[in-house]
Amino acid sequence: MSDVSRTGKTFKLSKPFAIDDHLQNSIGIYGADSTELVHLHFSAAIATLVAERRWHHTQIIDTQPDGSAHLRMEVAVTPELERWVLGWGADVEVLAPLSLRQEMAEVGRVLASRA
């Protein structure tokens, strides 16, 4: 901010605000009201790393016999979630929801076209 001045005006919330309630459906800073079942499959190469952390209070992680892992959680599909999934690169596959799977596939196509 380069030019700040007092206006004399005040701001009042129309209803009480609780940050924990606002973020309960999120894996980070984006708040959202609706959630979807997100089901991800992680390769054995990173499954232990994924399982070491609690990403969301609804998460369920099932380790597979081959060392890979399935992560399920009921969360909001936000730009932050999308970036988080993309951050795992080829070591993650989106199994659900279909809309997230399609979005990640489209990002992959765009990246591949730039090679």
Side-chain angles (χ1 to χ4, degrees), residues 7-69:
T7 65
K9 297 178 183 177
T10 59
F11 174 78
K12 292 187 180 184
L13 291 172
S14 59
K15 61 181 182 176
F17 179 77
I19 191 68
D20 290 338
D21 293 341
H22 182 70
L23 298 177
Q24 72 179 342
N25 296 328
S26 172
I27 65 159
I29 62 170
Y30 282 79
D33 293 328
S34 64
T35 63
E36 295 185 65
L37 175 63
V38 173
H39 184 183
L40 307 171
H41 177 254
F42 290 94
S43 72
I46 63 164
T48 302
L49 180 63
V50 172
E52 287 177 347
R53 180 162 175 207
R54 184 173 174 167
W55 303 100
H56 192 261
H57 64 91
T58 63
Q59 78 181 39
I60 298 170
I61 298 177
D62 297 314
T63 303
Q64 304 301 302
D66 66 355
S68 66

Side-chain angles (χ1 to χ4, degrees), residues 34-111:
S34 64
T35 63
E36 295 185 65
L37 175 63
V38 173
H39 184 183
L40 307 171
H41 177 254
F42 290 94
S43 72
I46 63 164
T48 302
L49 180 63
V50 172
E52 287 177 347
R53 180 162 175 207
R54 184 173 174 167
W55 303 100
H56 192 261
H57 64 91
T58 63
Q59 78 181 39
I60 298 170
I61 298 177
D62 297 314
T63 303
Q64 304 301 302
D66 66 355
S68 66
H70 285 250
L71 168 65
R72 293 175 187 83
M73 54 188 171
E74 187 75 28
V75 295
V77 177
T78 63
E80 184 174 26
L81 176 72
E82 292 171 0
R83 286 190 297 273
W84 178 77
V85 171
L86 288 169
W88 296 106
D91 286 306
V92 65
E93 178 183 2
V94 177
L95 302 177
L98 180 59
S99 60
L100 180 60
R101 182 178 176 89
Q102 291 171 333
E103 178 64 26
M104 298 300 96
E106 179 58 25
V107 171
R109 283 189 287 276
V110 170
L111 292 173

